[in-house]
Amino acid sequence: MTPKLLPRSQEEDEEHRLLANPASRGTDEDEEEEEEEEETAYEESEKVVIVSVEEGDYDDGGGAIRSDDGAVAAPPFSWKKLWLFTGPGFLMSIAFLDPGNLEGDLQSGAIAGYSLLWLLMWATVMGLLIQLLSARLGVATGRHLAEHCRDEYPNWARYLLWFMAELALIGSDIQEVIGSAIAIKILSNGYLPLWSGVLITAFDCFIFLFLENYGVRKLEAVFVVLIATMALSFAWMFGDTKPSGKELLLGVLIPKLSSKTIRQAVGVVGCIIMPHNVFLHSALVQSRKVDITKKGRVQEAINYYSIESTVALFVSFMINLFVTTVFAKAFYGTDIAKNIGLVNAGAYLQEKYGGGLLPILYIWGIGLLAAGQSSTITGTYAGQFIMGGFLNLGLKKWIRALITRSFAIIPTIIVALVFDTSEDALDVLNEWLNVLQSVQIPFALIPLLTLVSKEQIMGVFKIGAAFKVVAWLVAILVIVINGYLMLDFFSAEVNGLLFGSLICTATVAYVSFIAYLVLRGTAFCKWLNGVHPKRLVNSGN
């Protein structure tokens, strides 16, 4: 599309206006440069209205006052408003509780005992930091990460980023749907095979998405019920197995790491940062009406979302801790510890702890089903936002949902038919899927950190120098850890000259693209000279 050009004097005035109010770029400039209507995460009629409370002389016309240090101040705290903002963080937290994470938890507990609980805690803190940045981007700009990537990168890079995001989503979806299918097989006492569980999960997903027609809040309530089901199920298991409180506390407070548990440690960190979840959270926060032209209202939303996300991830940490400690108590130091996976975990628990008021096998199955069902729905949600943001095809939501589910369900049915009778093969597949998602992490983190660091995008809500350093250190740590996971995996799996050559070629291309994203991020300073990357994209450069 040919960009509209303003006369020189008008163009200079326009650039000065945008620099003075960067938050308006996502609205005013879109109206001027694009004739077509853009897809949005939520229609205005779908958004939750944040009720007004009596705030005296708070509003200064720009929606903000300044504190003594010059920072933007938000309206006074309100429990009612916190309740209205509560929801997106709990949907985001589902990615910390999906079947892939539960498998990482149980393997960590069975092989490393209580020794990696400290890492689980700090990995959750790192995940919280990334998700807060994602929410900050969505609130401050009124646009989510995929939409920003569409505008700020040339077409070839945009399509490649979209392809990588879809690959990560498909890998995650396969794990989530298979997890649900395993739970259905457990709860049906083996009567329903994996492939039928996959079909049931796909059908259930559309039923739950249908609830969105009755309002975002009702859909969020369903997720809260599913999270509560997980918490109750795994807390029940915790009570049945009675892990050591002293060892649990020492495991959380005292860092320990040995050469025998390095792979489990890498898995704990690798499972926390999910590429599609970074895209998802920046879109979910737009389900509330926030006037981004008023800085105080934006700061208010960021504050409430920060509180809500922290509470949600604390709950997810406790659930992950329950699972890890149950398997640490049950199987750490035993001969079968290395053989436990998602498929046989319930049977091993049943064999060790037997019945009770409700057999522990079925408690495990209920918790796993809640984890699988909730994560497949959020996966579908993320897929809609990713496709709409990157491609802007103008498709209806149910069509995007159908396409997104098809991407995952078709390969998952094939997986279920092939691996239904082989637990070992299913575990190997799960390792490949973990690696597939690890590969994609830089392609979500680098654009996010680049965008939230730029005043031209975030205005006064850009992150400060200290926060930027911490965020980049966390991103580098996560990328390096996942790089170790990939190196360890491929060194064991790659055999033969041809396969090795393909992997080496792919690695060079992979590293080159990461380097391009980092270097392009530093080139955003061109904005200060009046060169907007979106114009470069529209010009085909």
Side-chain angles (χ1 to χ4, degrees):
M1 173 180 177
T2 303
K4 293 182 179 179
L5 297 177
L6 298 173
R8 182 61 184 173
S9 58
Q10 293 182 32
E11 187 176 78
E12 290 174 353
D13 290 342
E14 178 71 3
E15 193 65 29
H16 282 301
R17 185 183 68 80
L18 290 176
L19 284 173
N21 185 16
S24 66
R25 286 182 182 272
T27 54
D28 296 342
E29 190 170 77
D30 288 348
E31 292 176 4
E32 293 177 358
E33 294 191 356
E34 295 188 13
E35 297 174 0
E36 65 206 59
E37 183 179 351
E38 287 191 355
E39 289 187 13
T40 56
Y42 295 91
E43 300 294 337
E44 285 299 314
S45 59
E46 297 175 320
K47 294 183 179 182
V48 177
V49 177
I50 306 300
V51 296
S52 178
V53 296
E54 200 61 42
E55 291 163 356
D57 297 328
Y58 169 78
D59 199 319
D60 67 348
I65 58 175
R66 298 278 177 174
S67 60
D68 292 338
D69 61 359
V72 174
F77 179 82
S78 162
W79 287 104
K80 184 175 184 180
K81 282 193 175 183
L82 177 59
W83 170 247
L84 290 172
F85 276 105
T86 297
F90 282 90
L91 268 69
M92 169 273 294
S93 72
I94 295 295
F96 290 69
L97 298 168
D98 68 8
N101 277 280
L102 297 183
E103 182 160 35
D105 292 337
L106 66 89
Q107 289 176 344
S108 171
I111 297 173
Y114 300 88
S115 65
L116 296 180
L117 292 179
W118 66 275
L119 188 59
L120 174 63
M121 180 182 70
W122 285 107
T124 304
V125 171
M126 290 192 294
L128 173 62
L129 172 65
I130 298 300
Q131 295 304 147
L132 290 181
L133 292 178
S134 176
R136 191 181 191 90
L137 176 70
V139 173
T141 66
R143 311 180 79 224
H144 58 81
L145 180 56
E147 291 175 318
H148 280 292
C149 289
R150 183 181 78 227
D151 288 344
E152 306 305 336
Y153 292 100
N155 286 336
W156 70 270
R158 169 167 63 104
Y159 289 128
L160 189 52
L161 285 172
W162 169 71
F163 178 73
M164 292 298 187
E166 290 290 355
L167 276 183
L169 185 60
I170 291 170
S172 176
D173 272 0
I174 291 175
Q175 287 181 314
E176 293 157 358
V177 174
I178 288 292
S180 285
I182 291 172
I184 291 171
K185 186 175 181 178
I186 291 172
L187 295 174
S188 68
N189 204 25
Y191 180 75
L192 295 174
L194 279 184
W195 63 267
S196 62
V198 169
L199 294 179
I200 292 172
T201 301
F203 181 68
D204 285 353
C205 185
F206 282 108
I207 290 178
F208 283 121
L209 285 174
F210 180 72
L211 292 173
E212 190 184 10
N213 294 327
Y214 295 95
V216 172
R217 297 288 280 172
K218 290 183 175 59
L219 184 64
E220 291 169 349
V222 171
F223 280 95
V224 171
V225 170
L226 291 172
I227 292 173
T229 302
M230 280 185 270
L232 180 61
S233 298
F234 298 134
W236 190 323
M237 289 171 53
F238 184 88
D240 276 354
T241 56
K242 297 179 175 62
S244 169
K246 179 181 177 181
E247 291 190 58
L248 187 159
L249 188 61
L250 291 174
V252 170
L253 298 178
I254 301 176
K256 291 182 181 178
L257 191 61
S258 70
S259 58
K260 295 180 180 179
T261 60
I262 188 68
R263 187 162 189 171
Q264 284 67 47
V266 169
V268 167
V269 178
C271 288
I272 292 297
I273 307 295
M274 307 292 285
H276 73 274
N277 207 38
V278 178
F279 288 97
L280 174 65
H281 200 196
S282 64
L284 290 175
V285 295
Q286 293 174 46
S287 59
R288 271 62 177 170
K289 283 189 176 182
V290 177
D291 187 349
I292 64 172
T293 65
K294 295 185 176 181
K295 299 180 180 64
R297 303 304 174 185
V298 174
Q299 186 62 59
E300 176 186 51
I302 291 172
N303 293 346
Y304 285 124
Y305 282 134
S306 298
I307 296 171
E308 183 229 6
S309 297
T310 301
V311 172
L313 289 194
F314 175 77
V315 172
S316 76
F317 168 70
M318 293 303 300
I319 293 173
N320 284 316
L321 183 142
F322 288 151
V323 175
T324 302
T325 52
V326 163
F327 283 87
K329 171 64 184 300
F331 303 109
Y332 177 58
T334 65
D335 294 334
I336 62 172
K338 293 186 177 181
N339 299 323
I340 298 177
L342 206 59
V343 178
N344 57 23
Y348 279 126
L349 283 172
Q350 181 69 17
E351 184 180 329
K352 190 172 182 69
Y353 293 101
L357 181 62
L358 182 63
I360 197 168
L361 171 65
Y362 297 114
I363 299 173
W364 166 253
I366 291 170
L368 181 59
L369 181 63
Q373 289 290 332
S374 57
S375 56
T376 55
I377 302 170
T378 55
T380 301
Y381 240 22
Q384 293 182 46
F385 296 136
I386 289 171
M387 178 178 289
F390 274 109
L391 304 184
N392 194 32
L393 297 176
L395 299 176
K396 294 182 178 179
K397 281 189 175 182
W398 71 268
I399 297 178
R400 278 184 281 156
L402 181 63
I403 295 173
T404 301
R405 293 315 308 150
S406 298
F407 281 161
I409 293 300
I410 292 174
T412 305
I413 292 176
I414 296 172
V415 166
L417 291 172
V418 173
F419 297 107
D420 192 17
T421 58
S422 175
E423 294 180 3
D424 291 339
L426 201 57
D427 287 338
V428 171
L429 174 69
N430 189 59
E431 291 183 6
W432 275 96
L433 293 175
N434 285 337
V435 170
L436 176 64
Q437 293 170 78
S438 297
V439 168
Q440 317 305 326
I441 287 176
F443 308 127
L445 290 189
I446 295 174
L448 173 66
L449 296 184
T450 297
L451 291 166
V452 296
S453 301
K454 300 303 174 181
E455 184 176 1
Q456 292 75 21
I457 292 175
M458 301 293 293
V460 297
F461 299 102
K462 73 169 185 175
I463 58 176
F467 198 175
K468 186 191 302 184
V469 170
V470 172
W472 275 104
L473 286 176
V474 168
I476 291 170
L477 179 62
V478 171
I479 291 170
V480 168
I481 287 175
N482 282 278
Y484 174 87
L485 174 65
M486 291 185 288
L487 182 63
D488 178 67
F489 179 78
F490 284 123
S491 63
E493 296 292 330
V494 172
N495 295 302
L497 180 61
L498 179 60
F499 194 23
S501 299
L502 290 174
I503 293 297
C504 288
T505 303
T507 301
V508 170
Y510 174 76
V511 173
S512 298
F513 190 44
I514 292 177
Y516 165 80
L517 293 176
V518 173
L519 293 174
R520 183 178 173 86
T522 62
F524 274 27
C525 63
K526 289 182 178 179
W527 274 10
L528 298 178
N529 296 321
V531 180
H532 195 294
K534 188 172 183 179
R535 289 180 183 144
L536 296 177
V537 173
N538 288 337
S539 299
N541 295 328

